[in-house]
Amino acid sequence: MGMMSAADPPAPRTVTAGPGDAGQRIDNFLARHLKGVPKTRIYRALRKGEVRVNGHRTRPHYHLVDGDRVRIPPIRYRVAGEPPVVPVKLLDQVPVLFEDGHILVVDKPAGLAVHGGSGMEFGLVEALRQLRPDLDFLELVHRLDRETSGCLMLALGRPALVALQRQLAERRGIRKHYLALVKGVPSGGGAVTVDRPLRQIRGRDGKKQVIVDAGGQQATTVFRIRRAFADTALLDAELLSGRMHQARVHAAHMGHPVAGDRLYGDDGFNARMQGLGLGRLFLHAERLRIHHPDSGLRQDFFAPLPAALESVLSGQ
């Protein structure tokens, strides 16, 4: 879908929330109806009172009720033809693993954020909304770090989104497995469970970081050795919760930081891995299992390890 020019801004309009919109946050609702508009601009419209629900100002965390009348303001944004922040060649590298009208599963490449923000106007979601104007609804079910590749699932309808997020919250149906190359080889040879709460903080540079802290949110990761080398190991990391940077922080906490991790890793180890050709974080969402939100049947999705990471393993 082409974007309107600054000379021809969209007119204000009122949209009535239906049963399928009930429970959705107003910021996500606006993002769906203002395709291509950066979230930062949407939040500014909410703060300035440009958006009205039933004639009143509202906040980003407001959850819609069936029958709410939402005034969507005219918003000027990128003129048609201007290049998006996300390179087209990178978007061409996003394979679709599965699509059926309820869910869309893609193999996200490393280096591509899942959504705009933190200085990036466009991410995978915004780009997909432009490339797939036939999709009336497209929302993330879960997230991956910008530096992480692999299985990423999006919902193509509100009922699917609610059902899948319930599976995540209740820890049933959904299983997520990552591959991580780490420093050293965990002892014992079996499964190592790290059950440590995680808390978000702001680093010295103002960016979000995560630490192990008793006052944080509960988080559990099960690590299993997939392949052991002389002084590194390829681990299967099963996330039993979905906290920010969870696998990376838990791996570092048990003394085996992930290769290429500039935030929680080991500088000397990272330099050595870079010498073997590693130019990114060695963390890949390899497998994703769900109970389908419509049929209830179990489905498994698989994203093969990128060739660049396979090459690093061959040098171990």
Side-chain angles (χ1 to χ4, degrees):
M1 179 180 292
M3 302 187 75
M4 295 186 180
S5 70
D8 184 24
R13 54 199 169 104
T14 299
V15 177
T16 301
D21 301 311
Q24 185 178 20
R25 279 176 50 134
I26 185 65
D27 54 347
N28 292 328
F29 178 84
L30 290 169
R32 181 157 57 93
H33 287 275
L34 292 169
K35 293 179 180 179
V37 176
K39 272 288 185 74
T40 52
R41 179 64 183 91
I42 290 174
Y43 291 140
R44 188 162 79 246
L46 287 162
R47 288 196 305 270
K48 293 173 64 177
E50 297 175 34
V51 176
R52 300 275 170 159
V53 177
N54 302 322
H56 303 287
R57 296 172 68 118
T58 188
R59 295 184 177 182
H61 56 72
Y62 173 74
H63 292 264
L64 290 167
V65 175
D66 183 13
D68 275 349
R69 300 182 77 252
V70 182
R71 178 192 182 275
I72 300 178
I75 292 181
R76 299 172 184 267
Y77 49 102
R78 183 183 299 275
V79 278
E82 286 187 358
V85 173
V86 178
V88 174
K89 64 179 181 181
L90 189 55
L91 290 175
D92 290 341
Q93 299 170 10
V94 183
V96 173
L97 301 175
F98 181 81
E99 180 178 359
D100 70 349
H102 298 282
I103 58 175
L104 173 66
V105 183
V106 301
D107 184 356
K108 187 191 84 66
L112 178 59
V114 295
H115 59 78
S118 300
M120 293 190 65
E121 188 174 355
F122 284 85
L124 177 63
V125 173
E126 291 84 4
L128 285 174
R129 285 171 179 159
Q130 290 189 41
L131 294 171
R132 294 290 305 273
D134 57 303
L135 299 176
D136 294 328
F137 187 101
L138 185 67
E139 298 289 347
L140 287 167
V141 174
H142 62 113
R143 299 168 186 265
L144 291 179
D145 294 343
R146 178 178 175 181
E147 299 172 80
T148 303
S149 56
C151 293
L152 180 70
M153 182 167 52
L154 303 99
L156 301 182
R158 180 71 183 165
L161 179 65
V162 172
L164 290 165
Q165 289 186 335
R166 184 179 298 120
Q167 288 184 40
L168 282 170
E170 297 175 358
R171 299 185 190 176
R172 61 177 181 81
I174 291 185
R175 298 185 68 175
K176 297 180 289 183
H177 289 263
Y178 292 66
L179 287 180
L181 182 68
V182 302
K183 178 182 179 181
V185 180
S187 60
V192 177
T193 299
V194 179
D195 188 6
R196 293 290 185 273
L198 300 177
R199 181 168 66 88
Q200 289 187 25
I201 62 170
R202 291 283 180 181
R204 292 181 178 178
D205 57 2
K207 295 182 179 179
K208 289 182 180 180
Q209 295 183 20
V210 175
I211 60 171
V212 172
D213 185 87
Q217 293 179 302
Q218 185 277 333
T220 304
T221 308
V222 180
F223 294 97
R224 299 177 179 88
I225 298 176
R226 179 76 67 89
R227 293 170 65 182
F229 303 97
D231 56 358
T232 63
L234 181 67
L235 304 184
D236 175 307
E238 181 180 5
L239 273 61
L240 303 185
S241 46
R243 309 305 179 197
M244 176 181 173
H245 298 173
Q246 178 177 321
R248 299 162 62 183
V249 177
H250 275 173
H253 180 76
M254 70 174 182
H256 301 283
V258 178
D261 192 338
R262 292 173 293 179
L263 192 56
Y264 309 107
D266 179 284
D267 291 342
F269 176 55
N270 288 344
R272 185 162 67 85
M273 290 298 101
Q274 188 174 8
L276 294 176
L278 181 63
R280 50 161 288 194
L281 176 72
F282 201 122
L283 186 63
H284 176 72
E286 181 192 42
R287 288 178 288 149
L288 178 65
R289 173 181 293 177
I290 68 168
H291 284 170
H292 192 277
D294 185 57
S295 68
L297 297 176
R298 194 185 84 180
Q299 284 190 276
D300 293 273
F301 306 105
F302 173 83
L305 195 66
L309 298 187
E310 284 283 8
S311 177
V312 173
L313 291 182
S314 66
Q316 297 299 300

